[in-house]
Amino acid sequence: QVQLQQWGAGLLKSSETLSLTCAVYGGSFSGYFWGWIRQPPGKGLEWIGDIDHTGTANYNPSLKSRVTISVDTSKTQFSLKLSSVTAADTAVYYCARSRVSGVDNWGQGTLVTVSS
Amino acid sequence: EIVLTQSPATLSLSPGERATLSCRASQSVSRYLAWYRQKPGQAPRLLIYDASNRATGIPARFSGSGSGTDFTLTISSLEPEDFAVYYCQQRSNWPLTFGGGTKVEIK
Protein backbone atom coordinates (compact mmCIF):
# COMPACT_ATOMS: atom_id res chain seq x y z
CA GLN A 1 0.00 0.00 0.00
CA VAL A 2 1.59 3.23 -1.18
CA GLN A 3 1.48 6.21 1.15
CA LEU A 4 2.53 9.77 0.37
CA GLN A 5 3.55 11.99 3.30
CA GLN A 6 4.22 15.64 2.59
CA TRP A 7 5.60 18.51 4.62
CA GLY A 8 6.76 22.10 4.30
CA ALA A 9 6.16 25.65 5.48
CA GLY A 10 2.53 26.69 5.63
CA LEU A 11 2.90 30.44 5.95
CA LEU A 12 4.98 32.57 3.61
CA LYS A 13 5.38 36.22 2.80
CA SER A 14 5.13 37.65 -0.69
CA SER A 15 8.28 37.13 -2.80
CA GLU A 16 9.47 34.17 -0.71
CA THR A 17 9.99 30.67 -2.08
CA LEU A 18 7.52 27.89 -1.35
CA SER A 19 9.21 24.58 -0.56
CA LEU A 20 7.43 21.26 -0.07
CA THR A 21 8.68 17.68 0.07
CA CYS A 22 6.80 14.43 -0.37
CA ALA A 23 8.03 11.04 0.81
CA VAL A 24 6.80 7.84 -0.82
CA TYR A 25 6.37 4.80 1.39
CA GLY A 26 5.75 1.37 -0.08
CA GLY A 27 5.49 0.33 -3.70
CA SER A 28 7.83 1.06 -6.56
CA PHE A 29 9.27 4.50 -7.19
CA SER A 30 9.94 3.88 -10.87
CA GLY A 31 7.25 3.50 -13.48
CA TYR A 32 5.21 6.47 -12.28
CA PHE A 33 5.14 10.21 -12.45
CA TRP A 34 5.28 12.05 -9.14
CA GLY A 35 3.42 15.31 -9.26
CA TRP A 36 2.18 18.39 -7.50
CA ILE A 37 -1.37 19.70 -7.77
CA ARG A 38 -2.82 22.71 -6.00
CA GLN A 39 -6.28 23.91 -5.05
CA PRO A 40 -7.01 27.50 -3.97
CA PRO A 41 -9.56 27.70 -1.14
CA GLY A 42 -13.03 26.94 -2.48
CA LYS A 43 -11.78 26.51 -6.04
CA GLY A 44 -10.76 23.82 -8.50
CA LEU A 45 -7.60 21.84 -9.14
CA GLU A 46 -4.49 22.96 -11.02
CA TRP A 47 -1.68 20.69 -12.18
CA ILE A 48 1.67 22.25 -11.30
CA GLY A 49 3.99 19.63 -12.77
CA ASP A 50 5.46 16.20 -12.32
CA ILE A 51 8.68 14.21 -12.50
CA ASP A 52 9.73 10.60 -13.00
CA HIS A 53 12.47 8.64 -11.25
CA THR A 54 15.05 9.66 -13.88
CA GLY A 55 14.46 13.32 -13.16
CA THR A 56 12.50 14.07 -16.31
CA ALA A 57 10.10 16.83 -15.34
CA ASN A 58 7.05 18.45 -16.91
CA TYR A 59 5.80 21.85 -15.84
CA ASN A 60 2.59 23.76 -16.37
CA PRO A 61 3.56 26.63 -18.71
CA SER A 62 1.61 29.05 -16.55
CA LEU A 63 4.04 28.43 -13.67
CA LYS A 64 7.12 27.15 -15.47
CA SER A 65 9.26 30.23 -14.89
CA ARG A 66 8.86 29.88 -11.11
CA VAL A 67 8.67 26.12 -10.55
CA THR A 68 11.29 23.48 -9.92
CA ILE A 69 10.43 19.87 -9.16
CA SER A 70 13.24 17.55 -8.13
CA VAL A 71 13.56 13.93 -7.09
CA ASP A 72 15.77 12.01 -4.68
CA THR A 73 15.42 8.35 -5.56
CA SER A 74 17.69 7.24 -2.70
CA LYS A 75 15.16 8.62 -0.24
CA THR A 76 12.10 8.01 -2.48
CA GLN A 77 11.22 11.66 -2.11
CA PHE A 78 10.36 14.45 -4.48
CA SER A 79 10.15 18.17 -3.89
CA LEU A 80 8.49 21.33 -5.13
CA LYS A 81 9.92 24.83 -5.13
CA LEU A 82 7.84 27.79 -6.27
CA SER A 83 9.63 31.12 -6.24
CA SER A 84 8.37 34.68 -5.86
CA VAL A 85 5.04 33.69 -4.35
CA THR A 86 2.10 36.06 -4.12
CA ALA A 87 -1.34 35.85 -2.55
CA ALA A 88 -2.53 34.13 -5.75
CA ASP A 89 -0.39 31.15 -4.78
CA THR A 90 -2.37 30.56 -1.59
CA ALA A 91 -3.75 27.06 -1.91
CA VAL A 92 -3.76 23.51 -0.62
CA TYR A 93 -0.84 21.78 -2.30
CA TYR A 94 -1.05 18.05 -2.89
CA CYS A 95 1.68 15.66 -3.86
CA ALA A 96 0.45 12.77 -5.93
CA ARG A 97 1.34 9.59 -7.80
CA SER A 98 0.33 9.73 -11.42
CA ARG A 99 -0.06 6.76 -13.70
CA VAL A 100 -1.14 6.58 -17.31
CA SER A 101 -4.61 5.91 -15.94
CA GLY A 102 -4.74 8.91 -13.63
CA VAL A 103 -3.75 10.11 -10.18
CA ASP A 104 -4.28 7.13 -7.94
CA ASN A 105 -2.52 8.23 -4.75
CA TRP A 106 -2.52 11.60 -3.04
CA GLY A 107 -0.72 13.15 -0.13
CA GLN A 108 -2.68 14.62 2.75
CA GLY A 109 -2.36 18.16 1.39
CA THR A 110 -0.62 21.22 2.83
CA LEU A 111 -2.33 24.59 3.11
CA VAL A 112 0.14 27.26 2.08
CA THR A 113 -0.91 30.80 2.87
CA VAL A 114 0.93 33.76 1.39
CA SER A 115 0.61 37.03 3.25
CA SER A 116 1.62 40.44 2.07
CA GLU B 1 -4.24 24.29 -23.23
CA ILE B 2 -7.31 22.08 -23.30
CA VAL B 3 -10.20 23.57 -21.36
CA LEU B 4 -12.65 21.20 -19.70
CA THR B 5 -16.12 22.55 -18.98
CA GLN B 6 -18.26 20.66 -16.49
CA SER B 7 -22.01 20.93 -16.20
CA PRO B 8 -24.09 21.52 -14.28
CA ALA B 9 -22.16 23.44 -11.66
CA THR B 10 -24.47 22.08 -8.98
CA LEU B 11 -26.76 19.06 -9.04
CA SER B 12 -29.42 18.76 -6.32
CA LEU B 13 -30.63 15.19 -5.87
CA SER B 14 -31.88 12.80 -3.21
CA PRO B 15 -30.19 9.60 -2.01
CA GLY B 16 -31.05 6.72 -4.32
CA GLU B 17 -31.50 8.96 -7.36
CA ARG B 18 -29.44 8.79 -10.52
CA ALA B 19 -26.82 11.46 -11.18
CA THR B 20 -25.57 12.40 -14.64
CA LEU B 21 -22.55 14.71 -14.86
CA SER B 22 -21.09 16.15 -18.04
CA CYS B 23 -17.57 17.15 -19.09
CA ARG B 24 -16.87 18.83 -22.42
CA ALA B 25 -13.37 19.37 -23.81
CA SER B 26 -12.33 22.32 -25.97
CA GLN B 27 -10.69 19.86 -28.37
CA SER B 28 -10.56 16.11 -28.69
CA VAL B 29 -8.90 14.20 -25.86
CA SER B 30 -9.69 10.82 -27.42
CA ARG B 31 -10.59 8.67 -24.40
CA TYR B 32 -7.91 10.10 -22.12
CA LEU B 33 -10.28 11.39 -19.52
CA ALA B 34 -10.54 10.61 -15.82
CA TRP B 35 -13.11 11.41 -13.13
CA TYR B 36 -12.48 12.12 -9.44
CA ARG B 37 -14.66 12.57 -6.37
CA GLN B 38 -13.59 14.99 -3.66
CA LYS B 39 -15.24 14.98 -0.27
CA PRO B 40 -14.89 18.08 1.96
CA GLY B 41 -11.47 18.35 3.56
CA GLN B 42 -10.09 15.38 1.62
CA ALA B 43 -7.93 14.82 -1.42
CA PRO B 44 -9.70 13.75 -4.61
CA ARG B 45 -10.12 10.06 -5.33
CA LEU B 46 -9.82 8.50 -8.77
CA LEU B 47 -13.11 6.95 -9.90
CA ILE B 48 -12.86 6.42 -13.65
CA TYR B 49 -9.91 6.42 -16.05
CA ASP B 50 -9.71 6.34 -19.83
CA ALA B 51 -13.33 7.48 -20.00
CA SER B 52 -15.01 4.26 -18.89
CA ASN B 53 -12.73 2.11 -16.72
CA ARG B 54 -13.44 1.97 -13.01
CA ALA B 55 -10.41 2.41 -10.79
CA THR B 56 -9.49 -0.17 -8.19
CA GLY B 57 -12.10 -0.50 -5.47
CA ILE B 58 -14.68 1.74 -7.12
CA PRO B 59 -18.22 0.35 -6.90
CA ALA B 60 -20.26 -0.53 -9.96
CA ARG B 61 -22.74 2.30 -9.41
CA PHE B 62 -20.14 4.57 -11.03
CA SER B 63 -19.87 4.44 -14.81
CA GLY B 64 -18.25 6.62 -17.43
CA SER B 65 -18.83 7.07 -21.13
CA GLY B 66 -17.81 9.25 -24.05
CA SER B 67 -14.92 9.99 -26.34
CA GLY B 68 -13.51 12.93 -28.25
CA THR B 69 -14.96 16.02 -26.62
CA ASP B 70 -18.05 14.85 -24.72
CA PHE B 71 -18.01 12.70 -21.61
CA THR B 72 -20.47 11.61 -18.95
CA LEU B 73 -20.13 10.27 -15.43
CA THR B 74 -23.20 8.43 -14.17
CA ILE B 75 -23.91 7.42 -10.60
CA SER B 76 -26.78 4.96 -10.80
CA SER B 77 -28.04 5.33 -7.23
CA LEU B 78 -26.61 7.98 -4.94
CA GLU B 79 -25.20 6.88 -1.61
CA PRO B 80 -24.65 9.37 1.26
CA GLU B 81 -20.89 9.46 0.58
CA ASP B 82 -21.50 10.46 -3.04
CA PHE B 83 -22.61 13.97 -2.11
CA ALA B 84 -19.36 15.68 -2.98
CA VAL B 85 -17.60 17.54 -5.78
CA TYR B 86 -16.62 15.73 -8.97
CA TYR B 87 -13.83 16.72 -11.33
CA CYS B 88 -12.87 15.52 -14.78
CA GLN B 89 -9.23 15.59 -15.93
CA GLN B 90 -7.60 15.07 -19.32
CA ARG B 91 -4.21 13.53 -20.02
CA SER B 92 -4.28 13.90 -23.80
CA ASN B 93 -2.21 17.07 -23.97
CA TRP B 94 0.22 18.81 -21.70
CA PRO B 95 -0.50 20.64 -19.44
CA LEU B 96 -2.83 18.20 -17.81
CA THR B 97 -6.00 20.05 -16.93
CA PHE B 98 -9.05 19.64 -14.71
CA GLY B 99 -12.60 20.77 -15.17
CA GLY B 100 -14.11 23.30 -12.81
CA GLY B 101 -16.10 20.69 -10.92
CA THR B 102 -19.72 19.67 -10.35
CA LYS B 103 -21.09 19.72 -6.82
CA VAL B 104 -23.64 17.03 -6.07
CA GLU B 105 -25.69 18.19 -3.11
CA ILE B 106 -28.56 16.74 -1.13
CA LYS B 107 -31.94 18.02 -2.25
Side-chain angles (χ1 to χ4, degrees):
Chain A
Q1 183 77 359
V2 174
Q3 290 190 2
L4 279 63
Q5 183 74 32
Q6 60 184 98
W7 65 90
L11 182 61
L12 297 173
K13 296 181 179 178
S14 292
S15 79
E16 292 185 333
T17 295
L18 179 158
S19 182
L20 298 173
T21 299
C22 184
V24 180
Y25 300 103
S28 173
F29 199 64
S30 61
Y32 302 97
F33 276 89
W34 304 95
W36 293 94
I37 297 162
R38 70 179 183 179
Q39 185 172 36
K43 296 188 178 180
L45 300 159
E46 180 181 30
W47 198 286
I48 299 170
D50 56 35
I51 193 166
D52 69 11
H53 72 286
T54 68
T56 301
N58 300 292
Y59 299 123
N60 190 323
S62 68
L63 298 168
K64 187 173 183 178
S65 63
R66 298 194 290 131
V67 172
T68 302
I69 297 175
S70 58
V71 65
D72 185 336
T73 55
S74 66
K75 295 181 178 179
T76 61
Q77 294 177 0
F78 59 105
S79 299
L80 168 70
K81 290 190 184 300
L82 179 66
S83 64
S84 304
V85 297
T86 69
D89 295 312
T90 293
V92 174
Y93 286 74
Y94 293 101
C95 63
R97 186 180 81 169
S98 177
R99 309 177 59 162
V100 171
S101 57
V103 179
D104 64 353
N105 273 279
W106 300 71
Q108 77 274 24
T110 300
L111 174 60
V112 177
T113 302
V114 180
S115 67
S116 54
Chain B
E1 173 176 316
I2 294 178
V3 176
L4 299 178
T5 302
Q6 292 188 239
S7 62
T10 304
L11 198 52
S12 299
L13 295 168
S14 300
E17 287 194 296
R18 182 184 188 89
T20 302
L21 288 67
S22 174
C23 178
R24 177 165 289 178
S26 59
Q27 64 188 77
S28 177
V29 299
S30 186
R31 291 181 60 81
Y32 301 132
L33 190 103
W35 290 94
Y36 300 83
R37 178 181 68 186
Q38 186 177 32
K39 300 178 186 179
Q42 296 185 17
R45 181 180 181 182
L46 179 65
L47 302 173
I48 300 287
Y49 66 93
D50 290 350
S52 61
N53 298 295
R54 277 191 301 276
T56 302
I58 301 303
R61 66 179 183 272
F62 292 94
S63 62
S65 63
S67 65
T69 61
D70 290 300
F71 299 86
T72 300
L73 173 69
T74 301
I75 310 170
S76 60
S77 177
L78 286 164
E79 297 287 337
E81 63 267 29
D82 298 333
F83 292 93
V85 180
Y86 292 79
Y87 294 96
C88 56
Q89 177 239 323
Q90 64 83 21
R91 66 172 183 88
S92 174
N93 282 21
W94 192 262
L96 308 183
T97 51
F98 291 90
T102 290
K103 181 179 181 180
V104 178
E105 65 176 22
I106 299 176
K107 186 175 180 179

